[in-house]
Amino acid sequence: MNNVLHDSFGRKIDYLRISITNRCNLRCIYCTTRWAPHQSHDDILRYEEIHRVVQAAAGLGVRKIRLTGGEPLARLNLSRLVELLSRVEGIDEVSLTTNGMLLAKYAEELKAAGLKRVNVSLDSFRPDRFKLITGGDKVEDVLRGIETAKKAGLNPVKINMVVLKGINDDEIVDFARRSVHDGWHVRFIEHMPFVNSAAPEDRLVPIGEVITAIQESLGELKPCWPTSGNGPARYYQLPAAEGTIGFIGPVTECFCAECNRFRLTADGRLRPCLLEDDEVDIKGPLRSGASIEELERLIHEAAALKRAQHRLGEQPAPARRQMRQIGG
Ligand code: SAM
């Protein structure tokens, strides 16, 4: 078997995002569709099963793993999984995307277990708005989580803000200012419309408008070097800022041509594209005792299903799954 994973368009695939649970302790309006199928404990992959998929993926050249969900910190003993995956030969980095609600509690033990970096989702500093967007009461828990993660050395801690027209777009400048005053690494993300989402399609604020708002208030954004990291963000800095500002525009600045990733859902499906419903079942074969070679074959099969690009410009993403069931 060819040892390096490529899709049928020649893109090298070396990054796997793993959703470890569909459950979440928040209910963000853009992430949750109006229906929510229940999944039992037995429906989701056990840590040992995820470990085995990662072993197979690492054998095909996957080097980076990101754990997501649902809310990954809502699953018990996440540190045990981090430790297992960090030790897989070939894996250079295990990182985490979280809403930060439980991060202050777990940051140090995650770091000790081998976690390298963390991205924290935060869409508003204002308690009433935080509540409106997420349903949660305690934005201060997220802020405490961010500070604890920094102190624990999970750096760079990146703050992801989904910009929603008429909801939090008047906080764009406040977030950008944090890159100057607090050394934050802030990333602005375009809202991706999903069929049946509780957030309507017209909430989208194009990244170009976000950039204009920041430059009008805070000065010229200079590209930083390297301008892109491992993913789709383009990075800039404001004058005198220690932190950076990243822009991720899946809708108006489609980056599918550089896509290097695929996903594993909590219920054991390989998903080649975030915004398309193609999937390959890996849970069934795992539970029937599939060999590593068989798992590698399934991973190749999933890579071969990767599309050239998503169709968000024409239509909302399909809604067989909610974002929290895919792992954004
Ligand atoms: N619970 C964790 C969190 O909040 O970061 C991880 C899962 S969440 C699905 C991962 C990321 O997806 C978050 O940064 C969230 O803001 C983003 N996200 C979810 N739905 C989105 C949408 N419709 N458009 C853009 N970003 C979205």
Side-chain angles (χ1 to χ4, degrees):
M1 179 111 23
N2 177 359
N3 242 8
V4 178
L5 193 60
H6 286 94
D7 68 11
S8 36
F9 302 93
R11 292 172 295 203
K12 185 176 164 198
I13 312 296
D14 59 7
Y15 179 16
L16 174 59
R17 292 177 73 106
I18 304 175
S19 171
I20 63 162
T21 177
N22 295 330
R23 299 193 178 171
C24 190
N25 45 6
L26 294 178
R27 283 284 173 275
C28 298
I29 49 174
Y30 47 73
C31 197
T32 310
T33 47
R34 291 183 194 100
W35 47 266
H38 176 71
Q39 283 188 323
S40 75
H41 198 64
D42 201 44
D43 288 329
I44 65 169
L45 293 184
R46 296 186 284 273
Y47 285 167
E48 288 66 24
E49 292 170 330
I50 295 174
H51 179 230
R52 206 157 154 72
V53 176
V54 169
Q55 284 177 314
L60 296 176
V62 167
R63 297 288 166 258
K64 293 191 195 303
I65 302 290
R66 177 167 291 276
L67 301 175
T68 177
E71 174 47 42
L73 287 172
R75 184 158 171 185
L76 282 180
N77 270 328
L78 178 60
S79 305
R80 189 167 75 81
L81 178 66
V82 168
E83 194 167 352
L84 275 177
L85 302 188
S86 306
R87 289 188 183 160
V88 171
E89 197 181 328
I91 295 300
D92 297 334
E93 181 180 295
V94 179
S95 59
L96 175 73
T97 295
T98 171
N99 61 33
M101 297 290 289
L102 297 169
L103 190 55
K105 183 170 175 194
Y106 292 116
E108 279 186 19
E109 77 169 65
L110 287 167
K111 173 72 181 170
L115 191 76
K116 288 282 186 331
R117 298 189 298 111
V118 64
N119 290 358
V120 181
S121 307
L122 176 65
D123 301 328
S124 177
F125 294 118
R126 303 185 193 177
D128 55 334
R129 254 192 216 164
F130 181 77
K131 171 110 186 154
L132 173 80
I133 297 170
T134 68
D137 284 321
K138 294 200 170 156
V139 64
E140 63 272 18
D141 285 354
V142 183
L143 296 170
R144 218 156 37 87
I146 292 169
E147 288 316 310
T148 313
K150 279 189 187 170
K151 282 191 198 119
L154 292 168
N155 292 306
V157 177
K158 293 181 185 166
I159 314 304
N160 288 340
M161 182 214 199
V162 177
V163 186
L164 300 164
K165 183 173 282 177
I167 296 186
N168 64 357
D169 49 345
D170 57 348
E171 289 186 73
I172 291 170
V173 172
D174 295 340
F175 272 79
R177 206 177 271 120
R178 291 283 185 134
S179 75
V180 182
H181 294 168
D182 302 300
W184 275 23
H185 301 281
V186 180
R187 306 194 312 169
F188 295 97
I189 303 177
E190 277 178 353
H191 170 240
M192 293 179 281
F194 274 74
V195 172
N196 287 334
S197 166
E201 279 171 61
D202 57 7
R203 293 292 180 202
L204 173 76
V205 180
I207 279 301
E209 289 180 22
V210 178
I211 293 176
T212 304
I214 294 171
Q215 297 204 122
E216 278 177 4
S217 295
L218 301 174
E220 192 188 350
L221 283 162
K222 293 246 164 71
C224 6
W225 192 254
T227 50
S228 59
N230 195 36
R234 293 182 284 123
Y235 288 99
Y236 293 81
Q237 268 181 314
L238 283 165
E242 262 185 44
T244 57
I245 299 184
F247 298 103
I248 305 180
V251 184
T252 65
E253 301 180 353
C254 171
F255 38 77
C256 295
E258 285 102 56
C259 187
N260 63 343
R261 60 190 61 183
F262 67 112
R263 291 176 157 79
L264 174 63
T265 65
D267 59 352
R269 305 283 190 284
L270 296 170
R271 190 165 167 116
C273 301
L274 172 66
L275 299 167
E276 298 288 347
D277 268 343
D278 308 304
E279 291 180 354
V280 172
D281 176 36
I282 201 164
K283 183 176 73 181
L286 265 172
R287 292 189 177 172
S288 316
S291 64
I292 286 286
E293 289 72 26
E294 172 65 2
L295 300 179
E296 285 181 357
R297 194 191 63 68
L298 293 167
I299 293 170
H300 273 291
E301 195 182 309
L305 285 175
K306 256 179 103 64
R307 311 254 182 151
Q309 97 172 49
H310 68 65
R311 293 171 286 176
L312 265 193
E314 301 149 33
Q315 59 193 50
R320 179 142 34 106
R321 290 174 182 273
Q322 305 178 359
M323 267 294 262
R324 70 190 173 94
Q325 296 172 299
I326 305 169

